[in-house]
Amino acid sequence: MSNELEFLSRRVASGKLSRRDFLGRAAALGVSAPFANSLLSSAARAAGPVKGGTLKAGLVGGESTNSLDPALMMTQVPFAFGKCWGEMIVELSPEGKLENRIAEEIGSSDDAKVWTLKIRDGVEFHNGKTVTAEDVAATLERHSDEKSKSGALGYMKGIETIKASGKEVVLTLKEANADLPYLLSDYHLIVQPNGGKDKPDAGISAGPYVVKTNEPGVRHGAERFANYWQGDKMGHADQIEVIVINDATARTAALQGGQVNMINRVEPKIVDLIKRLPGVTIRNHAGPGHYVFIMHCNTAPFDNADLRMALKLAIDREEMLDKILRGYGSLGNDFPINASYPLFTEIEQRKYDPDKAKFHFKKSGHDGSVLLRTSDVAFPGAVDAAQLFQQSAAKAGITLEIKREPGDGYWNEVWNKQPFCASYWGGRSTQDQMYSTAYLSTADWNDTRFIRPDFDKMVLAARAELDEAKRKQMYHDMAVMVRDDGGLILPMFNQFIDATGAKVGGWVDDPHQELMNGYALAKCWLEA
């Protein structure tokens, strides 16, 4: 038994077996979790990372309009490339624990309204400057400014003052928030010289790689940063390259042919085929990600609550889960929270009901078809999902007109601009962060235009509530409000499905986002 587990632990260390599968096999053999984890730790120390080579990723989610400005990052390519050149204040471990990065320590007052960040010594920017408390403060200030159009703006507005003093940054909040350190792990908050106020798209931070190539919508490249402050943990390859391959078939062919070492967003319908490819490993795990259809609550005809309810009842979630995700996901219920989040509560599952959908549609008074925009880049299977939606809605007497939009420009011209479209969310680290980013009335990424002052008050109250039972009830009430009155149609929570080629070592499953929460290129290596 021990020989088998030692062999399997070495496969985990080299990235050929997932930690989850290893622990499952260990449990089947009657081995305790602490002992199994100790084997993994030993194997990881023995294997160690391999330096050198060029690690390449072929990714969907790149457009000609992409920018290196962290405030504007919204799709997969800027997200993953940003994790290579950017450095964070704090980050989340795969187990959901806080990892201190540029902030060496974080402490708060008893009422969780005043937070102090102690800035680490000896961290160097790519331009040779030393990271200071002033740089961190300026970064947070910029993302708190509406002019930045930052994706983090929704919750950054909750900070009243930001002050740098010596090696510390002191944040005073408008309302207490025990989750603040988790919010600071938001991928937009890459620390930049002077906060990026001088040149936000310069691509300069303190991460493991230095940007060398930036061709939006085509390719991005970087070289290892010799002075990276924790070089033993990241930056193993000499160079990394991201090649934008928005077409799923081309992406798979590139992995099979060895042109790239990893890909994202493997379509569930081809997972079994890819598993049979020599040297290819599927990397899938559940998390907070979800595939959605979003309606603008303030734009006709979606400003009518009955029309919104009709469309929510006219979608066959179980059919979509079966035919689109093929077992690689779970049912959604029209609010963006699932069991991945602490303080999650079950709410009665909304079901497909064409008769009730027909009732609400007639009550809405709407006459004619409803236009739904979709695209291959919205999420894997988004075009097929829209067609399934069209078919199930037809049984309720609702005519959905489907418009297939081109991938390039979708996230700038359609998402958050057009009143009804397909989209996705990767989820966030806490419920407060998810609701603050996408559902506060003032959030720049409020893509359903859900504008409810009473909901905003509930978000702020839940932040300040330190009693866990009361806070859990508040989140339950907020979920019901979004589910029943909002513009979100959430048929399914997706698993993140990536794939790696031969000789990719160091892979660790991370439930927070695809590609090891974006760190696959920074943390993996090529075996000799």
Side-chain angles (χ1 to χ4, degrees):
M1 178 180 71
S2 71
N3 287 339
E4 178 184 356
L5 285 180
E6 287 176 4
F7 169 73
L8 293 176
S9 68
R10 290 195 295 272
R11 287 182 64 82
V12 175
S14 65
K16 296 177 180 177
L17 182 71
S18 73
R19 181 175 180 272
R20 178 182 56 200
D21 289 344
F22 172 81
L23 292 176
R25 180 57 182 158
L29 293 172
V31 175
S32 68
F35 180 69
N37 279 309
S38 71
L39 284 176
L40 288 180
S41 298
S42 298
R45 287 193 296 271
V50 177
K51 296 285 187 180
T54 300
L55 197 58
K56 298 182 180 182
L59 306 183
V60 60
E63 300 179 290
S64 59
T65 54
N66 288 153
S67 170
L68 291 180
D69 180 356
L72 305 180
M73 291 178 178
M74 67 175 73
T75 53
Q76 299 94 327
V77 168
F79 166 72
F81 191 53
K83 291 292 182 89
C84 294
W85 63 265
E87 187 56 286
M88 311 299 296
I89 298 170
V90 293
E91 189 53 276
L92 291 180
S93 73
E95 296 76 30
K97 297 180 180 178
L98 284 170
E99 291 182 347
N100 291 331
R101 293 286 182 87
I102 286 178
E104 188 174 36
E105 295 177 14
I106 300 180
S108 76
S109 58
D110 291 339
D111 62 0
K113 285 192 70 173
V114 180
W115 290 82
T116 302
L117 316 179
K118 182 180 178 182
I119 305 308
R120 189 182 301 275
D121 286 330
V123 179
E124 185 179 317
F125 282 123
H126 300 148
N127 62 5
K129 289 182 55 182
T130 298
V131 178
T132 66
E134 286 76 14
D135 295 311
V136 175
T139 295
L140 296 175
E141 287 170 356
R142 189 171 80 86
H143 289 271
S144 303
D145 185 350
E146 291 192 17
K147 294 179 182 178
S148 73
K149 297 188 180 298
S150 174
L153 182 63
Y155 63 84
M156 290 299 293
K157 286 183 176 180
I159 301 177
E160 189 167 53
T161 62
I162 303 169
K163 295 182 179 180
S165 177
K167 296 181 179 180
E168 294 182 342
V169 177
V170 180
L171 310 178
T172 302
L173 310 185
K174 295 174 183 177
E175 305 286 345
N177 191 344
D179 287 341
L180 182 79
Y182 292 90
L183 305 184
L184 295 178
S185 69
D186 187 296
Y187 66 90
H188 298 94
L189 302 181
I190 290 174
V191 177
Q192 297 175 275
N194 195 30
K197 292 180 178 180
D198 303 317
K199 189 170 175 49
D201 60 352
I204 296 174
S205 183
Y209 287 94
V210 180
V211 175
K212 293 296 181 181
T213 304
N214 179 43
E215 300 175 26
V218 181
R219 62 189 290 268
H220 306 271
E223 295 179 357
R224 183 195 297 138
F225 181 35
N227 294 336
Y228 181 54
W229 69 278
Q230 53 172 1
D232 57 329
K233 293 185 178 180
M234 287 196 280
H236 306 302
D238 290 334
Q239 296 96 22
I240 59 98
E241 184 176 1
V242 176
I243 303 170
V244 178
I245 312 177
N246 286 326
D247 181 78
T249 302
R251 206 160 53 250
T252 304
L255 180 66
Q256 184 179 6
Q259 285 82 35
V260 299
N261 306 108
M262 61 184 70
I263 61 174
N264 66 339
R265 286 202 171 189
V266 176
E267 293 190 340
K269 65 183 180 183
I270 63 169
V271 167
D272 290 340
L273 293 173
I274 290 184
K275 283 181 177 178
R276 295 199 288 267
L277 297 176
V280 173
T281 304
I282 288 290
R283 312 286 187 173
N284 65 291
H285 53 274
H290 44 281
Y291 298 158
V292 298
F293 300 99
I294 49 177
M295 305 174 281
H296 288 183
C297 297
N298 64 351
T299 304
F302 310 103
D303 54 351
N304 185 294
D306 281 295
L307 181 69
R308 296 198 300 272
M309 183 56 70
L311 291 169
K312 293 174 184 179
L313 292 166
I315 191 167
D316 191 334
R317 301 159 201 277
E318 293 187 357
E319 179 187 37
M320 202 166 285
L321 180 65
D322 179 56
K323 293 183 177 179
I324 301 299
L325 292 188
R326 303 188 181 218
Y328 293 95
S330 59
L331 282 177
N333 201 16
D334 297 340
F335 66 98
I337 306 300
N338 65 0
S340 298
Y341 292 89
L343 308 183
F344 168 74
T345 56
E346 294 282 355
I347 296 175
E348 182 182 359
Q349 177 64 51
R350 176 166 286 145
K351 297 181 179 179
Y352 175 50
D353 193 328
D355 291 332
K356 283 187 178 179
K358 184 179 294 185
F359 167 80
H360 283 284
F361 188 71
K362 183 177 180 181
K363 188 179 176 183
S364 75
H366 181 73
D367 184 28
S369 62
V370 176
L371 177 62
L372 169 62
R373 289 175 165 85
T374 187
S375 174
D376 290 323
V377 302
F379 58 81
V383 175
D384 292 338
Q387 292 170 346
L388 288 176
F389 193 0
Q390 182 183 51
Q391 293 164 16
S392 63
K395 296 176 183 178
I398 302 172
T399 301
L400 281 187
E401 179 187 346
I402 307 300
K403 184 175 182 182
R404 185 172 181 171
E405 300 279 2
D408 192 50
Y410 187 80
W411 299 108
N412 284 283
E413 303 300 330
V414 178
W415 175 76
N416 215 12
K417 299 279 176 55
Q418 298 297 337
F420 192 26
C421 72
S423 185
Y424 81 98
W425 279 88
R428 290 296 185 270
S429 58
T430 67
Q431 292 200 45
D432 175 61
Q433 189 177 16
M434 188 68 238
Y435 285 127
S436 297
T437 301
Y439 297 90
L440 275 181
S441 300
T442 55
D444 195 51
W445 281 12
N446 183 344
D447 57 7
T448 58
R449 305 299 189 268
F450 182 64
I451 300 171
R452 288 279 301 265
D454 53 344
F455 179 85
D456 297 345
K457 290 178 181 178
M458 292 171 72
V459 173
L460 298 179
R463 281 182 192 169
E465 181 54 66
L466 301 181
D467 183 289
E468 188 171 290
K470 292 180 180 178
R471 198 178 192 199
K472 186 174 184 178
Q473 183 60 49
M474 288 177 172
Y475 283 136
H476 173 275
D477 295 343
M478 290 158 61
V480 170
M481 188 179 292
V482 169
R483 173 184 182 269
D484 292 344
D485 191 51
L488 180 71
I489 301 174
L490 197 163
M492 49 196 169
F493 285 91
N494 61 287
Q495 289 189 15
F496 298 113
I497 311 177
D498 307 309
T500 55
K503 296 187 177 182
V504 173
W507 186 280
V508 176
D509 288 340
D510 191 316
H512 297 105
Q513 282 278 8
E514 63 181 36
L515 294 170
M516 294 173 53
N517 195 22
Y519 283 109
L521 285 167
K523 291 185 176 182
C524 289
W525 58 83
L526 291 172
E527 295 178 337

